Each structure stands twice: as C-alpha cells, then as structure tokens.
C-alpha cells in the first residue's frame, strides 16, 4: 500500500474513532452506534484494500 493511501486510512480511521468518543461524551447513543459501524466498515475496507494490493504486487507461482 502506498504511503499516502495508508496515511489517508490512518487519519480518517482516527477521526472516526474520535467522533465516537465525542458522541459518547454528548450522550448520543444512536450516533455512537452509527459511527461505530462506519468505523468498523472503513477500517475493514482498509485491510481489504491492503490485501488486494499486496496480492496484486506479489509474483504468481
């Protein structure tokens, strides 16, 4: 995975987790649930993207 793409995933993932903590502090359970699902999906998408790029760059046997 390229460094700018990895940085993008890291920064956006961190911001999504920070939003969860904000909504916990504001006592908004539905927003906590929503941003938890969005964060989980985004972080999972980052892992899938990394695996696809790694498979693409690995020479076949």
């Amino acid at each position: 995975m390229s460094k700018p793409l990895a940085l993008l995933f890291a920064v956006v993932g961190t911001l999504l987790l920070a939003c969860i903590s904000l909504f916990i502090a504001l006592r908004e359970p539905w927003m906590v649930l929503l941003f938890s699902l969005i964060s989980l999906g985004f972080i999972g998408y980052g892992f899938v993207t990394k695996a696809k790029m790694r498979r693409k760059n690995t020479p076949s046997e």
Side-chain angles (χ1 to χ4, degrees):
M1 180 179 286
S2 66
K3 288 185 180 185
L5 187 59
L7 180 64
L8 173 75
F9 277 108
V11 169
V12 173
T14 303
L15 289 175
L16 287 169
L17 294 174
C19 286
I20 293 170
S21 65
L22 172 71
F23 289 123
I24 289 172
L26 295 176
R27 298 179 188 224
E28 295 286 341
W30 292 109
M31 294 302 284
V32 171
L33 181 64
L34 175 67
F35 274 85
S36 296
L37 293 174
I38 292 171
S39 296
L40 186 65
F42 187 78
I43 292 168
Y45 179 70
F47 281 117
V48 169
T49 303
K50 182 178 179 180
K52 283 182 181 179
M53 292 180 88
R54 185 176 289 165
R55 265 189 248 124
K56 186 173 109 176
N57 292 334
T58 304
S60 302
E61 291 184 32

